[in-house]
Amino acid sequence: PMRFSITSTLLVLAFGILASVASAQNSSGNRLYDQGLDLQEKAEYKRSSEHFKKAAAAFEASQSWSQLAKSYNELSFNARFQNELKQAQEFAEYVLTLDKQHQTVAPREVANAYHNLGTVAAQQGNPKAALKQLKKGLAVAQNQKIATSLRANIIASLGSAYQDLGNYEQALAE
C-alpha cells in the first residue's frame, strides 16, 4: 500500500512536470510565431521564416499540431513570396500530412494549406492544378464555416486561375 502511494505520487508529479514543460514550449512557440507575423507584415520574409521555424520546433515538442500546422502555412506563404515554390509546396503538403497523422489540425489550417498549394500551382503556370487545390480548400472552408477572409482569398485565387485558363465567365462567377 505504501509503495503504491509513493508510485502514484511520483507519476502525478512526472505528469505535472511534463505538462508544465509542454506549456512553456507552447508559450515560447506563440511568442516566436507572433514575432514571425510582425516580420512578415514588414515583408522581412527570411527573418520571419526563422521565427516560424523556431515556433514550429516548440509546437512540435509540445505536440500542438494545429499550431505546428499554422507555422508551416506561414512558412509556405513566406516561401511563395520569395519565389521558393518547391519549398512552399513542401511546407503546405506537410500541413496535410499532419492532418492525416493526427486528425487534430484545425480545419482552417487544412483549407489554408490547400490555398497555398493552389497559389503555388498558379505561380508555376499550372492553373488546372491550382483549381483542383483551391476547390479542395474552398470545400473545407465552406463546410467548416471558416473565417470570411480566408474564403475570400481562396475565391479570389479561384477567379485568377479561371482567368488564366481564359474562362472569364467562371472567373467572374467566383
Side-chain angles (χ1 to χ4, degrees), residues 65-85:
W65 307 124
S66 280
Q67 291 297 93
L68 179 59
K70 195 174 184 178
S71 297
Y72 270 86
N73 271 326
E74 296 303 335
L75 285 166
S76 180
F77 178 90
N78 284 353
R80 283 192 298 115
F81 275 83
Q82 294 175 90
N83 207 32
E84 297 171 358
L85 302 182

Side-chain angles (χ1 to χ4, degrees), residues 47-122:
R47 287 185 57 215
S48 172
S49 290
E50 291 169 13
H51 284 77
F52 288 134
K53 286 177 183 175
K54 290 175 185 174
F59 293 137
E60 187 166 27
S62 65
Q63 298 184 351
S64 299
W65 307 124
S66 280
Q67 291 297 93
L68 179 59
K70 195 174 184 178
S71 297
Y72 270 86
N73 271 326
E74 296 303 335
L75 285 166
S76 180
F77 178 90
N78 284 353
R80 283 192 298 115
F81 275 83
Q82 294 175 90
N83 207 32
E84 297 171 358
L85 302 182
K86 180 82 170 129
Q87 187 72 57
Q89 181 178 347
E90 289 171 4
F91 286 140
E93 287 172 347
Y94 184 65
V95 172
L96 299 178
T97 299
L98 280 173
D99 183 51
K100 286 181 184 143
Q101 288 176 347
H102 302 287
Q103 299 175 346
T104 58
V105 172
R108 183 187 201 296
E109 297 312 320
V110 173
N112 199 13
Y114 282 122
H115 181 240
N116 281 328
L117 288 171
T119 53
V120 165

Side-chain angles (χ1 to χ4, degrees), residues 32-51:
L32 288 161
Y33 178 86
D34 289 342
Q35 291 169 345
L37 284 180
D38 289 342
L39 290 164
Q40 190 182 68
E41 287 177 12
K42 298 173 186 171
E44 295 183 36
Y45 299 117
K46 284 200 184 298
R47 287 185 57 215
S48 172
S49 290
E50 291 169 13
H51 284 77

Side-chain angles (χ1 to χ4, degrees), residues 3-49:
R3 180 180 249 198
F4 178 74
S5 177
I6 292 172
T7 304
S8 298
T9 303
L10 289 174
L11 282 174
V12 168
L13 284 172
F15 283 123
I17 291 168
L18 288 175
S20 178
V21 168
S23 177
Q25 288 170 329
N26 228 11
S27 179
S28 171
N30 285 327
R31 183 180 42 77
L32 288 161
Y33 178 86
D34 289 342
Q35 291 169 345
L37 284 180
D38 289 342
L39 290 164
Q40 190 182 68
E41 287 177 12
K42 298 173 186 171
E44 295 183 36
Y45 299 117
K46 284 200 184 298
R47 287 185 57 215
S48 172
S49 290

